[in-house]
Amino acid sequence: MNLRIFFDSITEGLLDHIKEPNTMLRQVLLHKEEFPSIEHIQAAIIGICETGGADKIRKKFYALKKGTSSNVIIADLGNLRPGMDELETCQRLKEVCSILLEKGIIPIIIGDRHSYDYGQFLAYENSGKLINFLNVDACIDLYSTEEFGTDKHHIHKILMHEPAMLFNYSHLAYQSFLCDPETVNVLEKLNYEAYRIGRIRENIKETEPVVRSADMMSFDLSAVRQNDAPGTINPQPFGLTGEEACQIAWYAGISPSMSSIGVYGYMPFNDPMDQTAGVAAVMMWYFVEGLGKKSAQFNYDDQQLTKYIVSLQEEPHKLVFYKHNISEFWWMEVPYPNKNKKGCSVVPCSYEDYQLAANKGEVPERWLQTHAKLV
């Protein structure tokens, strides 16, 4: 399929102000007169902003200096032509992302509506695997109908999608005073993960295994506090700092499993100084920087792995952990509950998970949640 039919080219003259050498502009193949070739690229930028927000983020992103990951080849496909309604736009996004994913290309989506992540999710329908979905948002958009808008309903659509293609849902940076406690309870009953902003603030490194487990990330800029990112659909006085948002984007870049990301919710009319566009641009920069240092998938034969066995007094009697001596990433084995199915699943974890088992003799919550989902 010819991807060009889905896209408008980048606005003429948009990036003419960038004159300096060694900027990100020199690292990206742009859709101007000609549609860029997607052969031999690692990532593709897709804009879906009816408000012109994607172009404002582009202006900030392409003016940034190249990092150490200048070997990562990126194409900017331009702005996706919207459909007659949001659902049709999501279907177009699905088709484009499906083609990219089949070629091993990571879509980097810039969208104004957070609910566009439904199209990002649908792109995995033909992947033949269950998906781990990571959502970063101050709210948990789990309304069962579109009565309050599609941006309040999209997560419900993803969780309830048939045929089922979701293995795990993780939610980072929700704020308790913006979320119904019953909504959080629903996620917990489904053995999904939800992390309050306060918990992340205590130790942001604990988010790394969550990000490393995910196949796709949907990031609502409203998760970033208003002081750092005022230009969103739903700006909040509290939330992640810009630096913390960039740390999460870096984790996404180095993750061996992450195959698409979306940065959503940018509203330029709330951003007179283009401050939020700058935050989104630096997040993209850190993600690309991470791509150049992408870690390898877990491999039992890796000579850099150290194995740790922790004995427990109660079930499961022992836990098996692995540490990579160079990256310092941790994993743990979770055996299949069905005794007819031999073996185990190896999932990312943290050093804190190992310490909890080794020093306190407790089974990490991450182990319990994974074990319950493997039934």
Side-chain angles (χ1 to χ4, degrees):
M1 182 181 292
N2 183 5
L3 286 177
R4 181 170 187 168
I5 63 174
F6 291 99
F7 290 94
D8 291 320
S9 62
I10 294 171
T11 306
E12 185 177 355
L14 177 71
L15 306 173
D16 288 351
H17 66 291
I18 304 174
K19 306 294 184 183
E20 295 184 27
N22 297 321
T23 60
M24 292 302 298
L25 181 61
R26 318 302 172 194
Q27 188 172 334
V28 180
L29 307 173
L30 301 176
H31 179 188
K32 289 187 172 180
E33 292 85 5
E34 298 293 330
F35 192 77
S37 170
I38 62 171
E39 298 299 322
H40 312 300
I41 68 171
Q42 282 81 57
I45 296 172
I46 301 168
I48 331 175
C49 288
E50 299 174 19
T51 58
D55 284 349
K56 282 186 172 287
I57 293 173
R58 283 186 174 99
K59 290 175 70 174
K60 292 287 187 179
F61 176 65
Y62 289 128
L64 299 174
K65 292 294 186 179
K66 286 184 183 180
T68 58
S69 298
S70 56
N71 59 314
V72 178
I73 304 174
I74 308 167
D76 190 332
L77 305 185
N79 292 322
L80 188 74
R81 293 170 180 163
M84 295 295 292
D85 54 26
E86 184 176 324
L87 182 58
E88 186 177 343
T89 301
C90 284
Q91 289 295 328
R92 292 185 180 186
L93 180 62
K94 169 194 171 181
E95 290 187 50
V96 169
C97 290
S98 294
I99 294 170
L100 296 175
L101 290 172
E102 286 174 5
K103 294 180 176 293
I105 300 169
I106 298 175
I108 303 174
I109 305 156
I110 311 169
D112 44 14
R113 300 181 185 180
H114 194 186
S115 49
Y116 286 147
D117 65 355
Y118 184 56
Q120 181 187 353
F121 173 73
L122 292 178
Y124 291 88
E125 275 188 328
N126 298 323
S127 67
K129 60 175 286 188
L130 294 175
I131 299 304
N132 292 327
F133 174 49
L134 170 64
N135 186 30
V136 186
D137 194 350
C139 303
I140 302 176
D141 304 319
L142 206 54
Y143 283 86
S144 58
T145 69
E146 295 185 0
E147 179 183 358
F148 300 100
T150 54
D151 273 347
K152 296 294 184 182
H153 176 60
H154 61 119
I155 298 302
H156 183 271
K157 288 172 66 177
I158 289 171
L159 297 187
M160 301 303 294
H161 183 268
E162 292 291 344
M165 49 186 279
L166 191 68
F167 178 73
N168 187 49
Y169 172 78
S170 300
H171 195 111
L172 294 182
Y174 82 88
Q175 299 181 32
S176 298
F177 47 83
L178 299 176
C179 301
D180 186 338
E182 185 56 35
T183 300
V184 180
N185 290 337
V186 168
L187 295 181
E188 291 176 350
K189 289 176 182 177
L190 293 170
N191 294 304
Y192 293 148
E193 302 170 286
Y195 296 81
R196 287 184 300 105
I197 182 66
R199 183 176 173 186
I200 293 173
R201 184 71 30 80
E202 290 173 1
N203 185 4
I204 194 169
K205 289 183 178 180
E206 276 294 288
T207 66
E208 187 280 321
V210 182
V211 179
R212 186 159 35 108
S213 298
D215 297 289
M216 61 170 284
M217 180 173 76
S218 171
F219 195 112
D220 191 320
L221 288 169
S222 297
V224 183
R225 65 185 182 183
Q226 187 172 4
N227 271 359
D228 290 2
T232 67
I233 293 176
N234 189 24
Q236 298 296 330
F238 307 106
L240 298 169
T241 65
E243 291 90 343
E244 289 165 339
C246 290
Q247 184 74 60
I248 292 171
W250 159 260
Y251 288 151
I254 62 176
S255 165
S257 301
M258 190 68 67
S259 55
S260 74
I261 70 162
V263 179
Y264 300 102
Y266 177 53
M267 286 291 117
F269 52 76
N270 283 342
D271 198 34
M273 303 299 291
D274 296 343
Q275 179 179 338
T276 312
V279 170
V282 176
M283 286 175 61
M284 290 171 59
W285 186 93
Y286 271 102
F287 177 74
V288 172
E289 189 74 354
L291 285 182
K293 300 171 177 61
K294 207 170 185 64
S295 60
Q297 293 280 6
F298 178 86
N299 184 349
Y300 279 110
D301 296 327
D302 193 328
Q303 297 299 309
Q304 294 298 328
L305 282 180
T306 300
K307 182 178 181 179
Y308 298 84
I309 300 176
V310 178
S311 298
L312 303 176
Q313 292 184 349
E314 301 178 357
E315 286 281 358
H317 297 307
K318 71 175 183 179
L319 295 179
V320 180
F321 294 87
Y322 297 90
K323 178 189 175 183
H324 196 276
N325 299 323
I326 297 177
S327 68
E328 297 189 347
F329 286 161
W330 285 79
W331 293 266
M332 59 183 172
E333 291 185 355
V334 182
Y336 294 111
N338 187 344
K339 294 182 179 180
N340 293 325
K341 187 173 183 179
K342 296 181 180 180
C344 62
S345 177
V346 180
V347 298
C349 67
S350 66
Y351 176 55
E352 284 74 10
D353 289 324
Y354 168 73
Q355 285 185 311
L356 184 67
N359 298 335
K360 296 185 178 181
E362 297 180 15
V363 179
E365 184 66 25
R366 209 185 311 270
W367 190 98
L368 294 170
Q369 289 175 330
T370 304
H371 191 260
K373 288 194 287 284
L374 291 174
V375 174

